[in-house]
Amino acid sequence: VGIVALPLAMAFAIAGGLTPQAGLWTAIVGGFLISFFGGSSVQIGGPAGAFIVVVYGIVERYGLSGLLLSTGAAGCLLFLMGWLRLGSLVRYVPVSIVIGFTNGIAVLVALSQIKDFLGLNVPNMPADFWGILQTLGQNLGAFNPWALGMASAGVLVLLVWQAGGRRMVHAPSPWVRGVASMPGSIVVLVLATALTAWCGLPLETIGSRFGGIPSNLPSWVWPEFSWASAQALVMPTLTLALLGAIESLLCARVADGMIGDRHNPNQELMAQGVANFVTPFFGGMPATGTIARTVTNVKSGGRTPVAGIVHALALLLVVWVAAPLANHIPLATLAAILMFVAWNMGEWHAFKDLKQFRMPYRITLLAVFLLTVMVDLTVAVEFGLIAACITFIYRISSLSRIEQLSEKDTDKLAHQSGQISAYRAYGALFFGAVKLIEDIENILPQKALVLDLKNLIYIDSSGADALLALGRLCHKKQVRLIVCGLNHQPLDIARRTGFLDLIGQNALPDYDSGLDAALLSEKR
């Protein structure tokens, strides 16, 4: 797991506009804390590709101090979410939003790597989609053919290694199986670094851009704090916290399915909060659960948090011993690795499967995807949640209905037209369906109104207010209101809102007894 994390941690940090050691220390410190305090026994934490776009945007607008402050604040929010036992609420984020968001981030990650993939000499890349396209278009003619060749070869090796590894993993020879289990990213990294160092290829490396990776422990960093910067970073902080929660809990659910276990979502969020609060003091970036490293951990036999702790210590040993070797790592190779990660990150089959779903699902997924790529991650999540809520309200309100019962439904209503009316409700009586009760108010009978609520599964405060208004109107017009079949939650809210006190003895257990009571009142 440490071998897999090594190139990814450096690549994610560089793609986010940071130094490679920022990613390494995040994987070491954040990975250790997430495994030590986490609610999943096998989850591996560290920097993730999903954070690249958000981190780059924060660094460009607010600088490194803004990122450290935002990461620490997001850690506090994550810990608070876990402490308030809100871990299960993240599971209610619709899958259309998650897929659209994930695919959009994958596109942005791949787009952000084109500069190093082509070896373009662009000191400062913009963070927005249109700015990236414009800058790439202006500098496309000055690409480095050596960088393009190295990056293309890296992608090709990764593809071949992935395809060949699946076939050789069941080979009879243990030596072949051992080679096949090696991560392709490490193979590409070692080959490209050796070739660049021995042949002196004209490629930009970690050493030429960042001056190498220091092998000593990081110095303590105190983030600069001001209320003005904190207010400006509210939305980026919320984005980091929400993204970290979704990523970590989705990853933990994937791990649960692989090992047949069940994680503690609230404990996991608190662990993510501790990690993200501590890593900024070491100059780190946001951390979360990572699917690639977690899957590697499970497939390698890891079943306890000790594996995640050892992975962090292994990375620490690499930084102390092998940091000078990182000077020759070509940035084009790291870009190739991230391109491959971006491709594997996206659920591209979801676009092909769109025709199987209804129009609201399609619109939500595509809108979140396009907004993530072209506008902003925060806007995409906000739009997706609002669209999902509106769609849900519409669907539930369309499934809720109230039907008037007539002589065809029961013989007891024969010859009672205008004197007694009976209605049966289905579904949920909530703020999106109160019109169903309001429609009854316009056609009240002369003697008695029977409401059969046996098939009503939920009533909210707006629905209770509508029932209370109907009860008062019936009392004013001297129409007996009889309610039948209240059970479970509807009965509880009717009792708490005073609706039962309003109708008194007219709350009956079933429709037949309610109709008999209405007929008796009609005779009187």
Side-chain angles (χ1 to χ4, degrees):
V1 178
I3 292 173
V4 173
L6 180 65
L8 295 181
M10 292 188 293
F12 291 151
I14 293 172
L18 304 171
T19 59
Q21 58 263 32
L24 288 173
W25 285 114
T26 301
I28 293 170
V29 177
F32 180 91
L33 294 173
I34 288 172
S35 293
F36 191 83
F37 294 107
S40 171
S41 57
V42 295
Q43 176 141 276
I44 304 296
F51 283 129
I52 289 176
V53 182
V54 185
V55 169
Y56 189 86
I58 295 175
V59 171
E60 187 196 39
R61 295 177 188 175
Y62 308 105
L64 179 60
S65 61
L67 175 66
L68 299 180
L69 179 60
S70 185
T71 303
C76 295
L77 286 179
L78 284 166
F79 186 88
L80 189 62
M81 289 170 63
W83 184 64
L84 294 175
R85 307 187 67 81
L86 301 179
S88 59
L89 294 181
V90 179
R91 298 181 179 181
Y92 296 123
V93 177
V95 67
S96 57
I97 297 179
V98 175
I99 293 176
F101 192 64
T102 303
N103 287 4
I105 290 176
V107 170
L108 289 176
V109 169
L111 190 64
S112 68
Q113 295 309 299
I114 294 179
K115 177 179 80 75
D116 289 331
F117 198 94
L118 298 177
L120 301 179
N121 187 18
V122 181
N124 296 310
M125 283 289 289
D128 62 291
F129 174 76
W130 304 110
I132 293 175
L133 289 184
Q134 183 180 5
T135 304
L136 290 176
Q138 292 171 351
N139 296 274
L140 202 58
F143 75 95
N144 183 346
W146 289 99
L148 177 59
M150 181 67 73
S152 301
V155 172
L156 182 61
V157 171
L158 286 169
L159 290 172
V160 172
W161 194 268
Q162 184 183 58
R166 292 171 181 171
R167 297 172 182 170
M168 293 189 298
V169 72
H170 300 296
S173 171
W175 185 85
V176 174
R177 291 198 302 270
V179 172
S181 64
M182 283 289 293
S185 56
I186 282 293
V187 175
V188 170
L189 195 69
V190 171
L191 293 177
T193 302
L195 190 62
T196 302
W198 290 340
C199 300
L201 300 179
L203 295 172
E204 191 174 18
T205 63
I206 286 180
S208 64
R209 181 181 291 186
F210 302 103
I213 298 175
S215 57
N216 56 331
L217 291 173
S219 57
W220 186 263
V221 179
W222 187 258
E224 298 179 11
F225 177 80
S226 68
W227 284 112
S229 59
Q231 292 173 356
L233 288 167
V234 168
M235 289 311 298
T237 299
L238 291 175
T239 302
L240 287 177
L242 181 61
L243 185 56
I246 293 174
E247 280 282 310
S248 61
L249 295 185
L250 285 178
C251 178
R253 289 180 66 183
V254 171
D256 287 349
M258 297 180 68
I259 64 174
D261 194 8
R262 178 171 293 183
H263 71 283
N264 184 335
N266 298 310
Q267 181 65 33
E268 185 62 33
L269 286 183
M270 288 193 285
Q272 300 289 338
V274 171
N276 281 281
F277 181 77
V278 173
T279 51
F281 294 101
F282 293 89
M285 59 187 293
T288 187
T290 55
I291 292 180
R293 277 157 274 179
T294 299
V295 171
T296 302
N297 181 34
V298 173
K299 290 185 176 180
S300 300
R303 290 298 181 271
T304 72
V306 174
I309 294 173
V310 171
H311 127 271
L313 298 177
L315 283 174
L316 179 62
L317 182 63
V318 169
V319 170
W320 277 342
V321 175
L325 300 177
N327 290 340
H328 301 290
I329 296 176
L331 297 181
T333 299
L334 292 179
I337 293 173
L338 280 185
M339 286 277 196
F340 190 71
V341 169
W343 174 255
N344 289 321
M345 181 193 302
E347 297 186 40
W348 312 112
H349 63 86
F351 293 130
K352 183 182 67 174
D353 298 337
L354 279 177
K355 58 185 178 181
Q356 303 175 6
F357 298 94
R358 293 179 179 270
M359 189 58 66
Y361 178 92
R362 302 178 195 175
I363 293 175
T364 302
L365 192 152
L366 292 175
V368 170
F369 171 74
L370 293 175
L371 287 172
T372 300
V373 174
M374 299 182 182
V375 183
D376 185 74
L377 300 174
T378 307
V379 174
V381 173
E382 291 173 350
F383 172 85
L385 290 175
I386 292 173
C389 289
I390 293 175
T391 301
F392 176 77
I393 292 169
Y394 171 76
R395 293 294 300 163
I396 295 299
S397 61
S398 64
L399 294 174
S400 301
R401 69 186 193 278
I402 292 182
E403 297 177 351
Q404 183 174 6
L405 301 177
S406 62
E407 298 176 14
K408 297 179 180 179
D409 301 293
T410 174
D411 295 336
K412 294 180 180 181
L413 286 177
H415 311 298
Q416 299 298 329
S417 178
Q419 300 297 314
I420 299 175
S421 294
Y423 295 86
R424 181 168 290 153
Y426 299 87
L429 184 59
F430 69 115
F431 62 90
V434 294
K435 187 177 181 299
L436 300 174
I437 296 296
E438 294 171 353
D439 291 340
I440 298 176
E441 297 176 357
N442 300 323
I443 49 173
L444 287 179
Q446 297 179 10
K447 293 292 184 178
L449 172 64
V450 181
L451 287 182
D452 182 11
L453 305 183
K454 179 184 66 175
N455 297 310
L456 204 63
I457 60 174
Y458 176 76
I459 301 177
D460 73 348
S461 56
S462 298
D465 286 342
L467 288 175
L468 285 168
L470 177 63
R472 296 188 189 103
L473 181 62
C474 289
H475 180 74
K476 180 179 179 181
K477 294 191 174 184
Q478 297 183 347
V479 176
R480 186 181 180 186
L481 175 60
I482 301 172
V483 177
C484 322
L486 280 171
N487 290 306
H488 307 298
Q489 190 272 346
L491 177 62
D492 179 62
I493 197 168
R495 182 183 297 114
R496 289 190 288 111
T497 56
F499 181 65
L500 285 183
D501 295 333
L502 178 65
I503 60 177
Q505 300 297 321
N506 292 322
L508 299 175
D510 54 59
Y511 173 70
D512 289 333
S513 59
L515 193 56
D516 289 339
L519 291 172
L520 183 60
S521 64
E522 193 275 335
K523 291 178 181 179
R524 291 176 180 174

